[in-house]
Amino acid sequence: MTIAEWCLFGAVVLYLATVAPAKALGHREFDNGSPRDPSFYEHPVRKRALGAHINGIETFPFFATAVLLAQFRQAPQEWVDGLALAFLFTRLGFVGAYVGNQPTTRTVLWNAAFAFNLGIFFLSGFGVRGAVVATVAGLLWALAVWPILGKVQRKRLPA
């Protein structure tokens, strides 16, 4: 198996493991007979863990498609592997920022992970040059929105 294929497995484990600690730590309030009971997720940390979990499920199809397409089209494996690792580690940071209530950082990391995913996707059709352009453009976007998001976040904070 390639590193990128292991990253596919890692992405699944990450989104499953995101919500598991919330259930384990809240075991006295968690009802396994009703695992999706919204009242369990009213606690702020659990609510954010659930949000990160759902987001992981939402981002996985494009990541899996990009990796498999790149491998099917015989893109340079070291690039597929490197971008897949970057995606997975960025998603790990995203989960930490989400659960840790860092919305600006969370959004920047989401955009960065998406940039790495775009790189994988464009690698299959446009080669290394296309992957670099797509990834750099996505990362520049992630960096460009950072100060904007910071200003929006500061406006929402109570004085």
Side-chain angles (χ1 to χ4, degrees):
M1 285 183 64
T2 66
I3 291 170
E5 290 165 349
W6 280 109
C7 288
L8 291 174
F9 177 70
V12 171
V13 170
L14 179 60
Y15 79 68
L16 291 175
T18 299
V19 78
K23 292 178 180 180
L25 292 173
H27 66 88
R28 293 173 198 241
E29 300 166 46
F30 182 71
D31 178 8
N32 199 42
S34 184
R36 288 176 175 76
D37 181 5
S39 65
F40 177 76
Y41 296 100
E42 288 175 359
H43 184 277
V45 174
R46 292 182 205 149
K47 188 175 189 173
R48 291 191 302 271
L50 179 63
H53 167 76
I54 292 168
N55 188 270
I57 293 169
E58 293 168 347
T59 60
F60 181 75
F62 182 43
F63 177 57
T65 300
V67 167
L68 296 175
L69 181 63
Q71 290 187 325
F72 176 76
R73 306 247 344 210
Q74 299 177 349
Q77 191 62 51
E78 63 276 4
W79 277 84
V80 180
D81 291 343
L83 289 167
L85 280 169
F87 172 85
L88 186 59
F89 284 120
T90 306
R91 288 293 302 174
L92 184 61
F94 166 87
V95 169
Y98 205 135
V99 175
N101 198 24
Q102 301 294 320
T104 300
T105 304
R106 175 190 83 204
T107 302
V108 170
L109 289 171
W110 186 95
N111 281 296
F114 189 74
F116 295 127
N117 204 12
L118 283 175
I120 299 168
F121 184 80
F122 281 93
L123 185 63
S124 63
F126 299 98
V128 172
R129 182 175 291 174
V132 169
V133 169
T135 303
V136 169
L139 290 174
L140 289 173
W141 169 257
L143 291 174
V145 299
W146 197 324
I148 296 165
L149 292 169
K151 288 178 185 176
V152 170
Q153 182 63 29
R154 280 192 292 276
K155 286 183 182 177
R156 291 186 182 165
L157 294 176

